[in-house]
Amino acid sequence: MATKNITDLSLSRRQLLKGGAALGFGAAAMGLAPAWADPWGQSNAYPQGAVEGNDIALAIRRETLAINGRNARPITINGTSPGPLIRLREGQDATLRVTNLLDEPTSIHWHGLILPPAVDGAPGISFAGIAPGETFTYRFPVVQNGTYWYHSHSGLQEQLGHAGPIIIDAAEREPFRFDREHVVLLTDWTYEEPGSVFRNLKTAEGYYNLQERTIADFLTEVRENGFRETARTRAMWARMRMSSRDIADVTGSTYTYLVNGQAPGQNWTALFKPGERLRLRFINGSAMTYFDVRIPGLKMTVVAADGQPVQPVPVDEFRIAVAETYDVIVTPEADTAYTLFAESMDRSGFARATLAPRLGMEAGIPERRRIADRGMEAMGAHGMDHGDMAGMDHTNMAGMDHSNMAVMDHSNMAGMDHSNMAGMDHSNMTGMDHSGMQHGTSPGTSEGGLLLAGAAQPGSQYDQAGIGIDPEERRILVYRDLKAFRPWPDRREPEREMEIHLTGNMERYMWSFDGKTFSQIDGPIQFRKDERLRLILVNDTMMEHPIHLHGMWMELENGAGELIPRKHTINVKPGERVSALITADAEGSWAFHCHLLYHMDAGMFRVVRVS
């Protein structure tokens, strides 16, 4: 474990309080939006509202700040929550001095940045965290460009507003043109203490779900599907001890959804001049909330995903999972206002802002859609019944011979019932090495019997936007649309495959990989230095999981061949099987986890060691 790097210029608490005005603490008392959320954003000619340079100082404290007109106690960074926009430049050496004014340890993880493990910011893995009153200096070369963000990796601090955006300007001209840019940071805020939220989730399944089915819903389903089918479906959900409306664990019953720290009624406004090409940098910095984003009246062209340029995709709406980022270009021609509408996936609330040529203008707010019910798609890619798998122990399959599975045809598994697999132990499949498998090849496979690099994994749902989205209603972005702007340097076929199952028990609120929580495992997932690896993720749960790997890119195998996109966070839908190629070139230990904050804290977390 790395030793804390305490700067020689470490400031005392008294000195920092005395210099509070210089660090922007005064803004907190007034409840102002972060400086980077200036309505005019940034034009190409005049940067505004960012903390930039080769030596950046950040001070973290907890203080009283107005959120949606009500006093709250968020964690602030340089006096605001969300924290300041950090603006770096590709090719520079960044120095960020972070001082902890909390009464507990803290940290900052630079989400999506490729950097040495000692400055990645995950306490207990790559460094010891930042103790109260201490200053830690992060120094690293900036080797990429694009839209990213930062947040605490200590306890549940991220839920308290400990987050902010990162913009890295490209060293060379980017492959798309724009006249002005705005950062759109989406977050979820609760006036409850995060620890209380977590206890409520552990105490009662569906504690925050106030949109459960009613007798009227049941009668409507009987009319549409018949009594027998309706009864069968309801019985299936009862066996799993889940509700078909378990779309989100934490909902608008406690959350206020924010754009750049502003609630819907505060209507944060981004200004433009008609005819300008606006770059909107969307960041989902929420703890638990997926958003469906649209701007009625404006077509959006997606030009980057997770900071990496992609071939332009015109869309009307996109779903952004927790921790993902998307850059879009819009060109408002009319002298009118447009509503930027970010609806929570469970339809319990929304975040809202306005694009307008002048302050004070606003457009109508779209009618919210009804909550959807999960159906058979949540049962798995092949319609499997996982009703009794919640407590499943997967550890004894380590010696199992998979040599004949490479060309297995799964197409006829639709009726397969796995409900009696409760005693099965898979947890040692994590390190399973398929590289020595010898089979005859089939179309789409290499000589070693593995899928060719870039081919879509059987069981993937890359052409589906997800629950609650009607593809007939408007053009929706799906993972299948994402194509890298150019091929990535490492074009090798994978040497081996590693399969990891996403598992959990909603009733007990336990989340895990391969049936084991982080506290139950006894070692890291091992990657070999510089190997080309295929990571397969299989979601055995009924909920979406945004999976994040620190320190390395995951190249999402969405069927785009050599143009598969690089991502730092991959959303895995219920029952879905996805895969990503990884070049394990980052020696050291790295966090690997679900980015739903309470899922991670409940055990869906591992350490990857590259050696």
Side-chain angles (χ1 to χ4, degrees), residues 36 146-149 165-167 181-187 258-260 268 270 278-286 291-295 298-307 315-330 339-343 351-355 477 568:
W36 50 265
T147 303
Y148 304 93
W149 65 298
I166 303 174
I167 305 303
E181 68 175 37
H182 291 285
V183 174
V184 183
L185 176 63
L186 301 169
T187 55
L258 308 176
V259 174
N260 296 341
W268 179 78
L278 302 181
R279 179 183 191 169
L280 304 179
R281 299 178 182 262
F282 286 92
I283 302 167
N284 189 348
S286 65
F291 290 100
D292 293 322
V293 178
R294 52 191 159 119
I295 308 174
L298 282 182
K299 179 75 73 173
M300 299 180 287
T301 300
V302 177
V303 294
D306 286 1
V315 299
D316 299 307
E317 184 173 10
F318 62 87
R319 173 163 291 173
I320 185 167
V322 173
E324 288 187 313
T325 74
Y326 284 111
D327 291 24
V328 308
I329 301 291
V330 297
T339 295
L340 191 161
F341 190 63
E343 192 175 18
R352 169 252 192 154
T354 294
L355 299 181
L477 180 75
H568 52 59

Side-chain angles (χ1 to χ4, degrees), residues 369-388:
R369 290 169 284 198
R370 293 180 61 241
I371 186 173
D373 284 281
R374 294 203 188 276
M376 289 302 295
E377 83 289 338
M379 298 303 101
H382 307 295
M384 296 184 293
D385 180 357
H386 292 271
D388 295 320

